[in-house]
Amino acid sequence: MATATAKKVAMVTGGSRGIGFGIAMALAGSGFDLAINGRRDQTEVAEAIGKLQSAGAKVLYLRGDVADRAARAAMLEAVERGFGRLDVLVNNAGVAPETRADLLDASEESFDRLMSINLKGPYFLTQAAARWMVRQRNERGQDWRGCIINISSVSAAVASVNRGDYCISKAGIAMATQLWAARLAEFGIDVYEIRPGIVATDMTAGMREKYDRLIAGGLTVEKRWGTPEDVGRAAAVLARGEISYATGQVLNVDGGMTIRRL
């Protein structure tokens, strides 16, 4: 194990593009070194890593699928070798259904894929990371604090009958946030959930026309798409510990989409 670095370290799954990259950039700007996970080859994420390094972070790229037990273990071992510490875990990696299907037609294969990547992976990555964080707390004393941030979606609470598997996976993340917050509070580890709304990423690019129309029609209070930077700023505030006495809480970054209105 490497001697612990002086700078705090954050691990961001799915951190090389989209919302994850927005979060990673905000954390780099907040003084964190970074462990970035993704499934692409490192040559394909070189540009993203270069931008993070230019923002002041030392960056370790962790290629692996969060749904795979061995890959999760290998990633945390690499962080321990490279940095000797882990202060923040951001569970961001996730996928949408390959085909949007009505509840009456949706396949078990799609359900299993989304549950494995969107729910099981982050749940057990949190378990492993939390065990390491508890050890750090025991070694470094009561002043050490950790933070776990789950990136879910407004779909955790807003039903979409043509992608029920996605909604259920995000609702599971919402409960996981509550469970881990309750379990880890005694160890000084805060757990939060961020629920993005309609955010402009490669995942939503194919729905541009639909959401442009819905936003113009009043779906959101703020009449614009969200950006990865919007979510990144929110995550950085939580990671820096600027909100205290609030573990387990949900932060909606959705332009007012989920405000109940008449």
Side-chain angles (χ1 to χ4, degrees), residues 97 100-103 153-168 210-211 257:
R100 293 192 176 210
D102 184 274
L103 289 175
S153 167
V154 292
S155 294
V158 178
S160 298
V161 297
N162 64 348
R163 51 175 188 156
D165 40 16
Y166 183 80
C167 295
I168 291 171
K210 172 186 175 180
Y211 284 129
M257 176 180 172

Side-chain angles (χ1 to χ4, degrees), residues 70-83:
R72 293 192 300 269
M75 287 188 285
L76 287 174
E77 288 169 4
V79 177
E80 191 159 6
R81 288 195 306 271
F83 293 114

Side-chain angles (χ1 to χ4, degrees), residues 31 39 48 56 115 128 157 168 170 202 204 220 226 239:
R39 292 188 294 181
M115 292 304 135
I168 291 171
K170 295 304 183 179
D202 53 357
T204 56
T220 57

Side-chain angles (χ1 to χ4, degrees), residues 4-72:
T5 59
K7 290 177 67 174
K8 290 185 176 183
V9 173
M11 177 178 175
V12 184
T13 65
S16 64
R17 61 185 177 187
I19 288 175
F21 182 69
I23 293 169
M25 282 294 292
L27 292 174
S30 295
F32 287 86
D33 282 335
L34 297 168
I36 300 300
N37 152 257
R39 292 188 294 181
R40 294 181 291 169
D41 185 81
Q42 186 158 348
T43 58
E44 298 179 71
V45 300
E47 182 179 357
I49 290 174
K51 289 179 179 178
L52 294 170
Q53 291 170 332
S54 295
K58 179 180 178 182
V59 182
L60 176 65
Y61 182 65
L62 309 168
R63 187 179 184 185
D65 187 342
V66 296
D68 182 82
R69 178 190 303 179
R72 293 192 300 269

Side-chain angles (χ1 to χ4, degrees), residues 75-140:
M75 287 188 285
L76 287 174
E77 288 169 4
V79 177
E80 191 159 6
R81 288 195 306 271
F83 293 114
R85 67 187 295 169
L86 179 64
D87 302 271
V88 175
L89 169 65
V90 181
N91 287 308
N92 167 76
V95 295
E98 293 177 336
T99 302
R100 293 192 176 210
D102 184 274
L103 289 175
L104 295 172
D105 304 314
S107 69
E108 286 192 40
E109 290 78 12
S110 179
F111 188 94
D112 289 344
R113 172 176 173 263
L114 264 70
M115 292 304 135
S116 182
I117 297 171
N118 292 2
L119 182 56
K120 187 185 81 170
Y123 184 87
F124 285 103
L125 181 59
T126 295
Q127 182 189 68
R131 288 171 174 167
W132 181 14
M133 288 181 174
V134 169
R135 293 200 305 273
Q136 291 179 95
R137 169 82 165 194
N138 291 336
E139 292 166 359
R140 300 180 187 183

Side-chain angles (χ1 to χ4, degrees), residues 185-228:
E186 66 178 285
F187 303 109
I189 302 170
D190 296 322
V191 186
Y192 302 102
E193 178 191 354
I194 296 178
R195 291 183 186 173
I198 301 168
V199 178
T201 68
D202 53 357
M203 186 182 291
T204 56
M207 306 297 292
R208 185 85 204 190
E209 183 178 345
K210 172 186 175 180
Y211 284 129
D212 280 346
R213 184 173 64 254
L214 290 172
I215 291 168
L219 178 64
T220 57
V221 174
E222 298 185 45
K223 292 187 180 298
R224 68 172 178 88
W225 284 68
T227 67

Side-chain angles (χ1 to χ4, degrees), residues 143-161:
D143 289 338
W144 183 90
R145 297 194 67 83
C147 180
I148 296 170
I149 303 169
N150 290 325
I151 308 301
S152 66
S153 167
V154 292
S155 294
V158 178
S160 298
V161 297

